[in-house]
Amino acid sequence: MDVGIDNFRHEKVQRFEEFVDRRLKPDLVHAIAERDKVFEQQKVFSDLRRNIENLEKNCITNLRTLVNLGSEVYVQGDVPDTRSIFVDVGLGFHVEFTWSEALKFISLKEERLARQIEEYTQLIASIKAQIKLVCEGIRELLQLPAERTVEGRVF
Amino acid sequence: MEAGRAKGTVTPLSFLFPAQDAHKAATRVQDAISEKERELEHLLGFISDNANLINLVQKLPEELHHEVMVPFGKAAFFPGRLIHTNEFLVLLGEGYYAERTSKQTVEILKRRGKALDSQVDSLKAMMDNLKAEASFFDATASEAEEGLVEIREEYVEENLGEQESGSGVNKQDVPSVSGVDGPKIVEEDAEYACIMSRLDELEKEEELAAANGDQSDEEDEEEKETADQSLEKFYDDKQSYSKGSTSTWLRDENVGSKELLDKYQQQQEASTNPSNCSGLSVQSSSKEDVSSGKNSLAQTQRVRNPNPAAKSVTFAEVKEKNQRSPPSTREAFTGSIIERPPAIPKTSKQETGTPLQPSGSQPSKPVSRFKMQRR
């Protein structure tokens, strides 16, 4: 009997561990990577917003800048009229905005990005919780003494 | 060597390299290879980018300005144009930029391209190495699975010496001839054996030749067959003793005899021969031949008579051999010289009165003696 139970337990522990290693952990890694991407986007748009606000504040209508051709080779670029700006709205579309329109769009976009980040954070937290749950299940199966404080620290 | 003693060790290959481990190693190497491949792709991407950029930089100065969208941050751009199209700001590294013209920029970019190429080359070499390694591991795994065994045996140097000791004659000769005692190199023994056997053959042939002078053809052919190396060395040694007339004698036997066939028939004695020595030898030999075998035989007999004492001693034999043997050292020669004096006058009488007589006379002498001993 004992041997049978032990075998059963052993199998179950193994299956739980596999679930953690092959499903939950890759999911977690993926979710974190996605959230990082969104963070980047957020940074890009906040930069853009700051730049446009700068232009507005200084009333810059024409602009000299350096254009990166790749491999850190720059050529001078001249922008005769800065009042119309093309902003990436996603999926490869760029829309021509004025400064105020652009700022409005950017604030919307930032809001959305913040929501996305929140979602991803939730997702990551839930995945971590699941991992912890499964680990706890394994511990119970093996009838090890609870080490909650220690496990709490791990995640 | 011998079956009785088990000198070697036999280990199954699967013991040294378990098949599983070999497979694991192979897969690991394969992983490394795929990683390198990704790196290589990356580099190739850089190279194509660089080529495109070079093209662009070359074409930009063709126009005064280009209408482009000037990027403004990553997510936005303005409609604008590129101006000052022959001025480029190039990153030199560490945050330093240089202003360059189109041409200069292209040069910089080309140097970068070269660096990339060398990187690609080294990467490819590494991949080749890894591939060889992988194939080796695979081969090892398959061999281990097939139950291959590894047999090892210590290499013992004595073996050679034992083999050589079998030929006692040579050993005797070595010390006597060279006068240098103690352990001689085994190779030399072998060489002596070779040369001595060859000399025996030659002597036999000479006998025959002496009997009927035209047979010298066979000698030549056989000479070629037998160890040329040793004979050559022999000749070299002899020639170095150009004083010692034995060299001429040798010439008679070998080189001279070849030419003799042709030239003797044409009755040209010294004319065609390259060197004095050879010419002399030819003369002497030709005379022998001309005079016919009997004559030569007579020579030999005469030679024999003058120094019976030398013959009687077995050492004399050895010395004679020494004369003919290649590694002849001074001592060996001295032995032969001692025997000479009686022979010289007789031979010289036979030979024509050319100034070269001594050389001619000596060659005939050793031959004769040897024949005597044989008989």
Side-chain angles (χ1 to χ4, degrees), chain B residues 196-210 219 249 253 320-321 324 366-367 370-371 373-374:
Chain B
M196 292 315 291
S197 63
R198 175 70 201 126
L199 283 171
D200 285 348
E201 276 178 45
L202 287 175
E203 279 152 15
K204 271 183 205 168
E205 281 158 21
E206 196 151 304
E207 273 184 80
L208 287 175
E219 283 184 16
W249 175 73
E253 233 188 6
E320 273 199 355
K321 282 183 184 177
R324 299 176 184 191
V367 178
F370 201 88
K371 282 176 187 170
Q373 288 170 356
R374 292 198 138 206

Side-chain angles (χ1 to χ4, degrees), chain A residues 40 44-45 48 51-52 55 63-88 94 99, chain B residues 49-50 53 56-57 60 68-91 97 99 105 109 112:
Chain A
E40 228 168 89
V44 167
F45 276 97
L48 185 59
N51 279 331
I52 291 175
L55 291 180
L63 181 72
R64 279 276 181 97
T65 182
L66 285 172
V67 180
N68 192 352
L69 299 178
S71 300
E72 304 299 315
V73 175
Y74 295 87
V75 191
Q76 293 180 42
D78 181 41
V79 182
D81 182 12
T82 58
R83 276 166 300 183
S84 64
I85 181 172
F86 290 76
V87 180
D88 183 6
H94 292 73
W99 289 346
Chain B
D49 281 356
N50 201 54
L53 187 61
L56 181 63
V57 170
L60 273 181
V68 291
M69 301 304 258
V70 180
F72 189 67
K74 272 182 187 167
F77 49 77
F78 296 114
R81 57 186 185 175
L82 296 179
I83 54 170
H84 298 191
T85 51
N86 201 20
E87 293 172 16
F88 296 88
L89 209 59
V90 187
L91 176 70
Y97 289 84
E99 219 170 51
T105 308
L109 291 177
R112 281 187 194 170

Side-chain angles (χ1 to χ4, degrees), chain A residues 12-139:
Chain A
K12 247 192 167 171
V13 168
Q14 209 169 5
R15 262 166 46 209
F16 284 167
E17 279 175 348
E18 267 182 21
F19 181 64
V20 170
D21 283 344
R22 301 207 176 159
R23 184 66 203 274
L24 292 179
K25 282 189 178 172
D27 275 2
L28 184 65
V29 170
H30 184 250
I32 290 174
E34 288 292 312
R35 196 178 59 164
D36 285 349
K37 272 187 207 165
V38 180
F39 270 131
E40 228 168 89
Q41 282 257 313
Q42 200 188 26
K43 187 174 178 292
V44 167
F45 276 97
S46 73
D47 281 354
L48 185 59
R49 186 167 53 82
R50 224 180 310 130
N51 279 331
I52 291 175
E53 281 168 1
N54 240 334
L55 291 180
E56 248 183 349
K57 200 162 65 187
N58 297 326
C59 292
I60 294 169
T61 54
N62 64 340
L63 181 72
R64 279 276 181 97
T65 182
L66 285 172
V67 180
N68 192 352
L69 299 178
S71 300
E72 304 299 315
V73 175
Y74 295 87
V75 191
Q76 293 180 42
D78 181 41
V79 182
D81 182 12
T82 58
R83 276 166 300 183
S84 64
I85 181 172
F86 290 76
V87 180
D88 183 6
V89 296
L91 299 177
F93 288 100
H94 292 73
V95 178
E96 186 174 1
F97 288 129
T98 61
W99 289 346
S100 58
E101 285 168 343
L103 287 175
K104 213 182 286 174
F105 168 77
I106 289 169
S107 63
L108 286 174
K109 181 86 180 174
E110 278 183 324
E111 215 176 283
R112 180 172 159 61
L113 288 175
R115 251 203 332 273
Q116 270 186 347
I117 288 171
E118 188 63 26
E119 277 172 27
Y120 275 118
T121 309
Q122 292 285 343
L123 181 62
I124 290 166
S126 79
I127 292 172
K128 281 182 177 175
Q130 281 173 7
I131 291 174
K132 202 171 177 185
L133 183 71
V134 176
C135 286
E136 200 68 9
I138 292 169
R139 188 189 61 76

Side-chain angles (χ1 to χ4, degrees), chain B residues 121-141:
Chain B
D121 285 348
S122 69
L123 205 58
K124 274 181 180 166
M126 280 167 77
M127 278 172 67
D128 283 347
N129 275 346
L130 284 173
K131 274 174 189 164
E133 217 174 296
S135 68
F136 169 74
F137 278 132
D138 280 338
T140 313

Side-chain angles (χ1 to χ4, degrees), chain B residues 50-297:
Chain B
N50 201 54
N52 287 337
L53 187 61
I54 287 174
N55 250 337
L56 181 63
V57 170
Q58 273 172 339
K59 279 183 183 172
L60 273 181
E62 288 174 5
E63 305 261 349
L64 205 58
H65 51 79
H66 299 262
E67 295 296 328
V68 291
M69 301 304 258
V70 180
F72 189 67
K74 272 182 187 167
F77 49 77
F78 296 114
R81 57 186 185 175
L82 296 179
I83 54 170
H84 298 191
T85 51
N86 201 20
E87 293 172 16
F88 296 88
L89 209 59
V90 187
L91 176 70
L92 300 177
E94 299 293 323
Y96 287 93
Y97 289 84
E99 219 170 51
R100 312 299 284 168
T101 65
S102 162
K103 262 192 181 177
Q104 291 167 329
T105 308
V106 166
E107 278 167 20
I108 291 175
L109 291 177
K110 276 181 179 166
R111 285 197 288 276
R112 281 187 194 170
K114 268 182 198 166
L116 283 175
D117 284 344
S118 70
Q119 275 184 45
V120 166
D121 285 348
S122 69
L123 205 58
K124 274 181 180 166
M126 280 167 77
M127 278 172 67
D128 283 347
N129 275 346
L130 284 173
K131 274 174 189 164
E133 217 174 296
S135 68
F136 169 74
F137 278 132
D138 280 338
T140 313
S142 62
E143 279 170 1
E145 278 167 353
E146 284 165 11
L148 216 69
V149 296
E150 185 188 26
I151 301 171
R152 278 186 193 215
E153 184 177 312
E154 293 299 318
Y155 173 70
V156 185
E157 290 212 22
E158 295 170 1
N159 299 346
L160 263 179
E162 289 172 15
Q163 287 178 353
E164 289 305 317
S165 65
S167 53
V169 184
N170 294 336
K171 283 216 164 182
Q172 283 182 354
D173 287 343
V174 175
S176 64
V177 170
S178 59
V180 179
D181 297 311
K184 267 254 164 182
I185 301 168
V186 180
E187 280 185 5
E188 221 164 325
D189 275 350
E191 211 176 0
Y192 277 129
C194 217
I195 291 158
M196 292 315 291
S197 63
R198 175 70 201 126
L199 283 171
D200 285 348
E201 276 178 45
L202 287 175
E203 279 152 15
K204 271 183 205 168
E205 281 158 21
E206 196 151 304
E207 273 184 80
L208 287 175
N212 22 1
D214 295 329
Q215 281 184 346
S216 51
D217 271 270
E218 296 173 2
E219 283 184 16
D220 291 349
E221 289 178 1
E222 284 186 5
E223 273 182 8
K224 288 174 185 176
E225 288 174 6
T226 53
D228 289 334
Q229 277 189 345
S230 59
L231 279 175
E232 281 177 4
K233 193 195 171 190
F234 182 40
Y235 292 137
D236 289 346
D237 289 352
K238 293 282 176 182
Q239 281 181 348
S240 66
Y241 289 92
S242 55
K243 272 189 184 179
S245 51
T246 31
S247 64
T248 55
W249 175 73
L250 282 169
R251 291 248 160 194
D252 277 356
E253 233 188 6
N254 303 306
V255 185
S257 59
K258 267 191 210 167
E259 292 171 3
L260 262 182
L261 271 183
D262 302 334
K263 289 163 191 178
Y264 155 67
Q265 288 168 352
Q266 296 171 356
Q267 300 285 345
Q268 299 173 344
E269 289 187 324
S271 60
T272 37
N273 285 327
S275 65
N276 269 343
C277 242
S278 60
L280 291 176
S281 64
V282 172
Q283 273 191 346
S284 62
S285 59
S286 66
K287 292 202 170 171
E288 278 187 356
D289 287 343
V290 175
S291 60
S292 84
K294 288 175 186 176
N295 215 346
S296 65
L297 276 177

Side-chain angles (χ1 to χ4, degrees), chain B residues 345-359:
Chain B
K346 308 242 167 183
T347 49
S348 63
K349 286 175 190 172
Q350 279 190 345
E351 304 289 344
T352 55
T354 54
L356 310 169
Q357 276 178 357
S359 66

